[in-house]
Amino acid sequence: MTRWKLTIEYDGTPFVGWQRQENGLSVQQVLEDAVKNLSGDENRIQAAGRTDAGVHARGQVAHVDISKPRSAKDMRDGLNFHLRPHPVAILSAEEVPADFSARASAIEREYLYIINNRRASLALEQHRAWHVPFRLDETLMQDTAQILVGTHDFTSFRATECQAKSPVKTLDELSVTREGDHIYIKARARSFLHHQIRNLVGTLSLVGHARWTKQDVIDALEAKDRAKGGPTAPPDGLYFMRVTY
């Protein structure tokens, strides 16, 4: 039995999320089906992070055990053949030690959130970015984001149904930059709470629109109450970028 590390890209639009669910097609399901069709193995694929419905990935990582030996090229190309026509692609396949875990071995995860900040509606970027038609001040957003970097109790910025044992997380980076009409929000941490990034983005959008001040965000953070936090940004603009091991 060989353990394979897979680096995966996918468009999350047609899926109910990464994890298998009864209410629709998941990324995990189409990958496990591809593994079965390629190798005959019915083994579970475990990912570095469980993305929600509509969230995309440019560098998701997962591992799976395969019984029949094959080359990395054959593994990658064979899975991609069986993944058609789903918008999922194996970027690379690599043999790893049996104790490697895509989830537990990760030391940092990076996400990117994209806001299209123009007046005109989206044509090419529908489901690829959050369209915010009113002008956002990215300088205010970047300045405010820095108070959220570090170790905090993020209760005000996690989903009420979040199952994490502790709301305390350490953000290594939360940065806001602009390139033309696009605002990019990058977040890096060992792990995240459910909806944490989308709730932080929604909150920062209020700051960029001058509806909230930096002090409002500080007060929300200190309140440790989801009702005091900002809105949840839509999934469309969120991308799982990479994992560090």
Side-chain angles (χ1 to χ4, degrees):
M1 191 73 75
T2 302
R3 178 155 294 188
W4 289 91
K5 172 188 172 187
L6 308 175
T7 302
I8 310 160
E9 176 183 272
Y10 53 82
D11 173 1
T13 306
F15 299 108
V16 294
W18 166 269
Q19 192 171 12
R20 275 186 179 267
Q21 298 178 48
E22 295 181 357
N23 63 327
L25 191 65
S26 69
V27 181
Q28 182 182 31
Q29 180 180 337
V30 299
L31 281 165
E32 289 176 349
D33 288 347
V35 166
K36 181 181 178 181
N37 289 330
L38 176 66
S39 67
D41 295 313
E42 295 189 48
N43 293 333
R44 184 177 180 83
I45 291 182
Q46 298 185 33
R50 298 174 181 175
T51 53
D52 290 328
V55 175
H56 316 295
R58 292 179 179 174
Q60 170 74 279
V61 175
H63 76 259
V64 65
D65 295 327
I66 301 293
S67 58
K68 298 178 182 178
R70 63 188 68 243
S71 70
K73 179 181 181 297
D74 288 345
M75 183 70 175
R76 180 198 64 198
D77 295 347
L79 288 176
N80 282 332
F81 175 82
H82 289 291
L83 282 166
R84 298 171 185 164
H86 302 293
V88 181
I90 306 300
L91 303 181
S92 66
E94 175 188 354
E95 288 190 41
V96 290
D99 61 352
F100 171 83
S101 168
R103 188 174 186 85
S105 301
I107 60 174
E108 188 175 72
R109 295 160 173 84
E110 179 182 319
Y111 285 83
L112 180 70
Y113 197 97
I114 301 176
I115 297 174
N116 189 312
N117 191 208
R118 72 182 189 193
R119 185 63 181 174
S121 58
L122 303 186
L124 299 179
E125 288 187 292
Q126 286 191 46
H127 308 300
R128 302 289 189 281
W130 180 20
H131 180 223
V132 179
F134 46 81
R135 180 75 180 185
L136 295 174
D137 187 329
E138 72 280 2
T139 302
L140 286 176
M141 294 169 69
Q142 163 66 8
D143 180 55
T144 302
Q146 302 323 295
I147 68 174
L148 299 164
V149 175
T151 303
H152 304 284
D153 182 324
F154 284 99
T155 297
S156 297
F157 304 102
R158 71 166 174 169
T160 54
E161 68 271 20
C162 179
Q163 297 179 356
K165 294 180 180 179
S166 171
V168 177
K169 293 292 180 182
T170 300
L171 271 181
D172 299 320
E173 179 182 358
L174 185 64
S175 61
V176 184
T177 57
R178 177 187 284 274
E179 293 181 16
D181 290 330
H182 291 91
I183 292 176
Y184 299 100
I185 301 174
K186 184 165 73 170
R188 291 187 299 109
R190 185 179 184 91
S191 61
F192 293 90
L193 300 165
H194 191 199
H195 286 177
Q196 182 180 355
I197 298 174
R198 289 168 58 192
N199 290 336
L200 291 174
V201 170
T203 299
L204 291 175
S205 74
L206 297 180
V207 175
H209 193 41
R211 292 173 59 192
W212 275 31
T213 65
K214 180 192 286 190
Q215 188 58 51
D216 290 327
V217 178
I218 292 172
D219 292 343
L221 180 64
E222 294 178 347
K224 300 179 179 62
D225 179 355
R226 178 65 193 106
K228 302 296 184 183
T232 305
D236 310 52
L238 186 57
Y239 295 77
F240 191 146
M241 297 299 290
R242 61 180 57 87
V243 189
T244 302
Y245 292 97

